[in-house]
Amino acid sequence: MGGALDPAVATGRNLARAALADLGPGSRIVVAVSGGADSLALAAVTAFVAEREAYELSGMVVDHQLQDGSAAVAARAAEQLAGLGIPSEVVAVDVGTAGGPEASARRARYAALERTAAEAILLAHTLDDQAETVLLGLGRGSGPRSIAGMSPVDGVLRRPFLTLRRVDTERICQAYGLQWWTDPHNSDPGYRRSRLRAELMPLLEDVLGGGVAEALARTADQVRSDSLYLDDAAAAVELPLDVPTLTDLHPALRSRVLRRGALEAGADGSALTAAHLAALDRLVTDWHGQVRIELPGGIACVREGDSLSYVRTPVGG
Ligand SMILES: Nc1ncnc2c1ncn2[C@@H]1O[C@H](COP(=O)(O)OP(=O)(O)OP(=O)(O)O)[C@@H](O)[C@H]1O
């Protein structure tokens, strides 16, 4: 890169540096690259930081094999990484269809990423992604868990670009001379997220004024902080559960304790809805002799007298 440093590049490098600041030299870092502007930009600024901090950086490109030409897109992404001096691996995954192709692709992608033995796996979600996630969560009515958006650190996963605008990732790519791939799904009105991006966000900016995306992302941060506090408080409540104790809990805590009990018993967290939690709550607070609530993942919550327990539903039963 010649000439003056683009401010977006400087910001991107600072974000990558800050996101990895706790790691020592030699740490293995994997950047997850789709070939889009977001992840290529993240790879570029992380390569800069990795060289200075002596991190061992590599890229992973997942080929979901869902679209024609996906192997070529993946190969092109790997080529761009090579141009940045980043060795990479292209992993082709077999995506099932359970829960729809998008959800299956996501599951297969995260599984492939988490198989890598890295201290940190970097994802390039931006502030715009965060704002869209909050809006989608609001529309689903699924409560603080989804309005809280994505966390900058989630186990081994890190998201350094959550405060960076998408347009800045394009600037970074331009500054590095990178050619990014534009996913045709992003402009396909058949996808709710695409319409939200193309139609709803501009309308919101028009009605509410600029800075809506930032405001939504800030809301996510605030809700996440409150939610984490309540989750911690719920984690401190001892299980198994008895009805008088549960009745005395604040509803915000009770719903979390009930959810935690279900998850610890093996319920499928991704399929556990607000309606399931409301039904569990009624087992405590609005009891008319109902004895069990079936939950996703082959688990049931059973009330016997004043005690609640989670049991595995017998296969075929
Ligand atoms: N095919 C891929 N190979 C490797 N990494 C990918 C791939 N697709 C996406 N990623 C990583 O995941 C990040 C988010 O991508 P995207 O916004 O497309 O995900 P999504 O489908 O919305 O799902 P989620 O947000 O749950 O990851 C990207 O910035 C990139 O780091």
Side-chain angles (χ1 to χ4, degrees):
M1 263 188 311
L5 190 62
D6 188 301
V9 173
T11 305
R13 288 176 178 175
N14 286 336
L15 289 173
R17 186 180 297 114
L20 300 169
D22 60 314
L23 299 179
S27 297
R28 279 158 308 167
I29 296 163
V30 170
V31 57
V33 174
S34 62
D38 305 357
S39 49
L40 279 176
L42 179 60
V45 295
T46 306
F48 176 86
V49 175
E51 199 184 327
R52 267 148 196 78
E53 305 293 334
Y55 299 140
E56 210 180 286
L57 177 66
S58 62
M60 181 184 273
V61 185
V62 178
D63 175 5
H64 299 111
Q65 308 188 90
L66 287 174
Q67 296 177 28
D68 284 345
S70 68
V73 170
R76 183 91 188 102
E79 219 174 87
Q80 304 277 304
L81 291 175
L84 290 166
I86 306 173
S88 69
E89 184 188 1
V90 175
V91 180
V93 293
D94 275 320
V95 174
T97 48
E102 261 185 298
S104 313
R106 181 177 296 132
R107 245 194 329 270
R109 177 164 76 245
Y110 280 91
L113 285 169
E114 283 174 4
R115 274 196 296 274
T116 68
E119 271 89 3
I121 298 171
L122 305 187
L123 301 168
H125 296 98
T126 60
L127 184 144
D128 299 72
D129 294 316
Q130 184 76 306
E132 291 158 11
T133 302
V134 173
L135 281 177
L136 289 167
L138 279 174
R140 276 199 308 274
S142 44
R145 200 167 300 282
S146 56
I147 301 163
M150 296 170 279
S151 174
V153 180
D154 189 358
V156 77
L157 303 175
R158 302 188 186 197
R159 299 183 174 93
F161 276 2
L162 274 184
T163 55
L164 192 71
R165 295 303 304 260
R166 187 174 288 140
V167 67
D168 288 326
T169 65
E170 295 180 359
R171 287 208 188 102
I172 293 172
C173 286
Q174 277 156 357
Y176 275 94
L178 294 165
Q179 284 159 16
W180 67 90
W181 170 71
T182 305
D183 187 343
H185 281 161
N186 291 348
S187 51
D188 179 346
Y191 287 86
R192 189 171 285 149
R193 194 183 271 270
S194 314
R195 290 195 57 203
L196 200 134
R197 193 177 289 183
E199 300 169 34
L200 189 55
M201 284 307 291
L203 183 64
L204 280 178
E205 296 228 338
D206 192 30
V207 175
L208 300 175
V212 171
E214 284 85 356
L216 288 167
R218 224 171 27 246
T219 303
D221 290 342
Q222 288 157 1
V223 174
R224 186 165 355 98
S225 169
D226 289 2
S227 270
L228 282 176
Y229 176 79
L230 287 168
D231 287 346
D232 283 349
V237 174
E238 246 178 71
L239 300 177
L241 319 157
D242 72 80
V243 170
T245 313
L246 282 165
T247 309
D248 285 347
L249 291 178
H250 188 282
L253 216 48
R254 187 165 59 238
S255 68
R256 285 173 165 82
V257 170
L258 289 168
R259 184 171 197 277
R260 187 186 131 218
L263 295 183
E264 286 182 7
D268 174 2
S270 63
L272 203 59
T273 63
H276 289 122
L277 288 174
L280 289 177
D281 199 70
R282 283 196 296 277
L283 213 49
V284 177
T285 59
D286 188 21
W287 190 49
H288 301 288
Q290 62 273 46
V291 287
R292 60 191 283 141
I293 304 293
E294 303 296 334
L295 300 170
I299 299 294
C301 182
V302 179
R303 175 162 179 173
E304 279 163 325
D306 265 352
S307 88
L308 277 193
S309 54
Y310 291 94
V311 295
R312 187 157 280 287
T313 312
V315 177

